[in-house]
Amino acid sequence: MVSVVHVANLDDADKPTLPSKRDAYAALSRFSASHNAAFGSPALGLKEAEFEMRPPVDKEMATRWSLLLQGDRIVGVMTVRLQTATGRGLLRIFADPTDTDLYRDVCCKAVELARPFLDEIAETKVKAGTPVLFSVGLVSEQDFGLIRILEQEGFTSTRSFKTMLRNFVNDEDSMARLSKESLSLLNSLGFEIRPYDADLHAHALHVANETAFKGHFGHVRTVPFDIWFDDTHNLGDGFSPSLFTICWNTTTNTCVGAVLSYNWRNVGGTASIYQVFVDKALRGKGVGKALLLIAFESLRNAGFDSVRLYVDAENGTNAVELYKAVGMSCFRTESYFRKIIRGNPSLVVDC
């Protein structure tokens, strides 16, 4: 039988039999490594697991982390959250998929436990009339056990994401040449790459980011600056301003595009790109491709031997083809599974 204890309760001094917070971090790290081995998803170290489990900066994000136990053994970690302004709920499950029967039990228990939490928050904190969505993700296309459970529970696959990878090894000469050509292209358009300084540039970067992503899947509201800043800058050792490639219009002094890269979830010298965006008016003019090629060369010079990123494969901007054009290839596909638990489906904004 699988039981549950919420991570917030682990500070309860009256229950010495509970796992410790460090036990929770170690379990999340261990299960993320199991998912990495089975499905290729990024593994988390202890520090990264602790970072993942920190309280959200977004005060409109109700979040609960829980440990799933079999006796006194941690057999799974789950997090469920609901963005109360938009009614978007998300469940993530971490367990060992190699133990098929136990993995099935953990996943079933996690789905069962998430629903009452979402219902309670929706009832008390989500505006009446706002549709409430229950999503689970990201789920690997190879995670057949979890997919079967979700389909039996009435979830449907709604969006697929691909992980793209670019290897830098033995490609130094062409990368340097392409970066130089890309910089010349940007300069000819009246743009330049400037070293990133958060004190000087963060607000302009935030405005450009919000404008570029408006209307994209998952971007159903304007993200306040403090939440965006925490999401993109407060990544501990993973953040370095030198890894940001920011493009500026020299006439208007505005940000027109960026590639935000990190030394986060580093596996074997692989950098992570969190966001790529270009002003909508400039799409199709080679700016995004140029920014990526410049960013790749910058990452190679910083000592990385490859880079990965996630991309919404259905976002309508032809992003997957762009990434293929700069030498990236897909090595993993994942999806969100979703069902509506409150409200009129016709009112759901599918973005």
Side-chain angles (χ1 to χ4, degrees):
M1 177 180 291
V2 177
S3 61
V4 63
V5 60
H6 304 307
V7 171
N9 296 339
L10 300 185
D11 292 325
D12 191 341
D14 295 330
K15 297 182 179 180
T17 59
L18 289 178
S20 67
K21 282 283 181 70
R22 185 166 182 82
D23 292 332
Y25 305 147
L28 179 58
S29 176
R30 183 171 70 254
F31 294 132
S32 72
S34 297
H35 275 251
N36 173 263
F39 310 126
S41 51
L44 300 172
L46 280 175
K47 287 180 64 177
E48 294 162 334
E50 182 176 359
F51 181 86
E52 283 284 315
M53 299 178 93
R54 79 198 197 285
V57 171
D58 186 350
K59 302 305 180 184
E60 295 181 331
M61 184 71 76
T63 303
R64 173 182 283 172
W65 282 89
S66 304
L67 303 181
L68 300 166
L69 307 176
Q70 191 175 64
D72 59 0
R73 181 168 69 104
I74 302 173
V75 294
V77 180
M78 61 175 281
T79 176
V80 58
R81 65 191 189 202
L82 181 63
Q83 217 296 325
T84 58
T86 64
R88 262 57 176 178
L90 178 65
L91 168 66
R92 297 171 64 201
I93 306 168
F94 303 88
D96 183 359
T98 63
D99 189 335
T100 306
D101 292 339
L102 183 58
Y103 184 66
R104 181 192 62 241
D105 292 345
V106 167
C107 291
C108 287
K109 190 69 172 181
V111 173
E112 173 191 333
L113 291 167
R115 181 62 188 266
F117 174 78
L118 293 172
D119 286 341
E120 176 187 351
I121 300 301
E123 181 67 25
T124 58
K125 296 185 178 181
V126 178
K127 184 179 178 180
T130 301
V132 178
L133 308 181
F134 181 3
S135 297
V136 182
L138 288 161
V139 180
S140 168
E141 64 179 352
Q142 300 175 5
D143 194 347
F144 304 116
L146 179 53
I147 291 172
R148 189 176 304 112
I149 291 168
L150 295 175
E151 290 177 343
Q152 291 172 347
E153 291 292 328
F155 290 82
T156 56
S157 177
T158 58
R159 204 77 173 190
S160 65
F161 286 74
K162 295 184 181 295
T163 301
M164 311 292 289
L165 180 71
R166 172 68 154 87
N167 200 312
F168 303 155
V169 177
N170 299 323
D171 202 14
E172 293 85 354
D173 292 342
S174 66
M175 289 183 65
R177 175 179 55 81
L178 289 170
S179 175
K180 185 177 180 180
E181 292 173 357
S182 297
L183 189 58
S184 296
L185 170 65
L186 294 181
N187 291 160
S188 72
L189 295 172
F191 306 147
E192 67 180 11
I193 303 297
R194 298 176 187 170
Y196 180 68
D197 183 322
D199 292 334
L200 297 176
H201 303 141
H203 282 279
L205 183 60
H206 172 244
V207 170
N209 177 280
E210 286 295 302
T211 302
F213 280 108
K214 186 176 181 179
H216 281 228
F217 179 79
H219 205 83
V220 296
R221 63 165 187 154
T222 298
V223 179
F225 174 78
D226 60 333
I227 296 172
W228 170 85
F229 189 88
D230 181 74
D231 194 38
T232 55
H233 290 64
N234 292 337
L235 294 177
D237 295 339
F239 169 73
S240 172
S242 65
L243 302 183
F244 279 20
T245 301
I246 314 296
C247 185
W248 298 87
N249 185 317
T250 56
T251 301
T252 62
N253 199 35
T254 54
C255 174
V256 296
V259 178
L260 308 187
S261 306
Y262 300 88
N263 180 22
W264 176 238
R265 299 181 177 180
N266 186 313
V267 180
T270 302
S272 297
I273 292 178
Y274 177 55
Q275 286 183 341
V276 180
F277 63 87
V278 173
D279 188 300
K280 291 180 180 179
L282 297 173
R283 291 175 185 171
K285 301 181 184 299
V287 175
K289 181 178 181 180
L291 278 173
L292 283 164
L293 292 170
I294 293 169
F296 291 171
E297 177 65 358
S298 176
L299 292 170
R300 188 184 68 80
N301 288 332
F304 296 97
D305 56 30
S306 58
V307 64
R308 75 169 81 197
L309 58 78
Y310 291 101
V311 56
D312 176 0
E314 305 168 39
N315 67 10
T317 64
N318 212 27
V320 173
E321 294 306 313
L322 168 63
Y323 298 136
K324 288 180 178 178
V326 294
M328 305 192 86
S329 58
C330 174
F331 74 95
R332 184 174 68 246
T333 301
E334 299 167 299
S335 297
Y336 282 109
F337 284 74
R338 185 180 76 181
K339 69 177 178 179
I340 298 172
I341 60 175
R342 191 188 80 178
N344 186 342
S346 66
L347 299 179
V348 174
V349 178
D350 196 18
C351 64

